[in-house]
Amino acid sequence: MDGNGRWAESRGLPRHAGHKEGVRPVRMCIEECARRGVEALTVFAFSSENWARPSVEVSSLMQLFLEAIDREVDELHKNKVRMRFIGDRHALSVKLQARMAATEQLTAANSGLKLQVAVSYGGRWDILQATKKLSAAVASGAMALEAVTEEVFSRELMLSGVPDPDLFIRTGGDYRISNFLLWNLAYTELHFCDTLWPDFDKPHLENALRAFAMRERRFGLTPGQLNVAREGETSQRA
Ligand code: FPP
């Protein structure tokens, strides 16, 4: 969700105004994904590296997260959204941690969209925390080294239980992943658009989904192998 700062600065506004304006497209994406039956949506709200921003911007973002949770949680719950926060919570205020835990508890049994909000999150941090947990289990003898498979490793990551993303969307005109879900994005289709996040609206999302629908996803196979697999699926259905 990149471009909030530039959106505000180009209007002579403080950067915080851009973040505030960025809540609207988040709501639109959640509503659209829920309506379309998308299984999971993960939004990158605050990275491990964002802590190095000016303290006034960091604290205004933390305040914005608190306010957004308080304002939106009932509606999300009513719409059966299951909400989780992913990231290193230790660095967050006790108040924010408590709101996150309460929101997760409230929505845990919901059967609709799985919504993950990444706060204080970094893909490298995520891989490292999983590695540490598994290393401790191996070192203590609770787990054999040979038992550490990709599947077992995935279960220790923050997106455990959520399928790997099919589509990654980055706004704001930069072409990079910026330490998002490094492990989980291995075969994700990437979509970049120049629109600044506060201006990202339904047609932009539809455009990304249309572009995604045109992609051929081979997962390392050859086009010939894919055709054989597709023919198999068709004859199974017939
Ligand atoms: C990146 O833009 C955006 C952020 C660091 C904050 C994202 C937060 C929101 C969209 C607020 C709402 C979120 C939730 C989950 C309620 P930037 O500041 O790096 O923009 P720039 O590249 O133009 O400086």
Side-chain angles (χ1 to χ4, degrees):
M1 304 189 286
D2 200 15
N4 293 347
R6 279 166 287 161
W7 183 94
E9 280 160 5
S10 70
R11 287 164 175 77
L13 298 168
R15 292 177 59 84
H16 178 62
H19 296 313
K20 211 169 156 193
E21 200 62 26
V23 178
R24 196 167 30 85
V26 177
R27 197 182 298 123
M28 178 278 291
C29 287
I30 296 170
E31 284 168 6
E32 269 306 289
C33 286
R35 192 180 67 78
R36 288 167 177 267
V38 169
E39 182 178 349
L41 170 70
T42 304
V43 294
F44 202 3
F46 192 86
S47 72
S48 315
E49 291 72 30
N50 286 154
W51 286 112
R53 289 193 175 193
S55 61
V56 61
E57 182 168 344
V58 171
S59 50
S60 67
L61 271 166
M62 295 300 149
Q63 185 59 30
L64 187 66
F65 298 147
L66 261 179
E67 288 169 8
I69 293 174
D70 286 351
R71 204 178 43 240
E72 310 288 344
V73 71
D74 288 343
E75 186 70 14
L76 291 168
H77 185 42
K78 211 164 72 197
N79 290 314
K80 300 191 167 46
V81 173
R82 190 201 73 180
M83 206 167 163
R84 270 200 205 153
F85 295 89
I86 61 169
D88 184 2
R89 297 192 193 195
H90 298 106
L92 303 172
S93 73
V94 174
K95 199 170 164 185
L96 186 53
Q97 287 186 46
R99 288 292 213 295
M100 288 174 162
T103 304
E104 287 175 335
Q105 217 171 11
L106 176 72
T107 64
N110 286 349
S111 56
L113 176 73
K114 296 180 176 108
L115 172 65
Q116 289 67 236
V117 181
V119 178
S120 190
Y121 177 86
R124 288 178 177 175
W125 167 83
D126 196 1
I127 291 171
L128 199 59
Q129 64 82 28
T131 307
K132 283 180 181 167
K133 271 192 233 159
L134 289 170
S135 305
V138 171
S140 71
M143 184 182 245
L145 183 59
E146 297 69 35
V148 183
T149 59
E150 288 190 12
E151 204 189 323
V152 165
F153 193 84
S154 293
R155 269 190 245 135
E156 299 303 332
L157 291 167
M158 290 282 124
L159 274 199
S160 173
V162 175
D164 286 344
D166 289 313
L167 173 64
F168 161 103
I169 302 174
R170 182 186 182 129
T171 59
D174 284 320
Y175 299 86
R176 49 179 177 258
I177 292 180
S178 297
N179 202 14
F180 197 30
L181 304 159
L182 296 180
W183 172 283
N184 315 74
L185 292 178
Y187 275 99
T188 300
E189 297 295 324
L190 307 180
H191 180 87
F192 297 94
C193 77
D194 290 340
T195 310
L196 302 177
W197 179 251
D199 292 328
F200 189 81
D201 54 19
K202 223 154 116 176
H204 292 108
L205 179 62
E206 283 161 358
N207 194 28
L209 295 173
R210 243 192 324 270
F212 169 75
M214 307 289 287
R215 303 273 178 94
E216 181 181 69
R217 308 189 72 195
R218 291 194 295 277
F219 299 98
L221 301 180
T222 67
Q225 286 176 302
L226 279 184
N227 284 338
V228 171
R230 278 193 207 114
E231 279 157 21
E233 278 170 25
T234 314
S235 62
Q236 256 180 6
R237 272 200 296 271

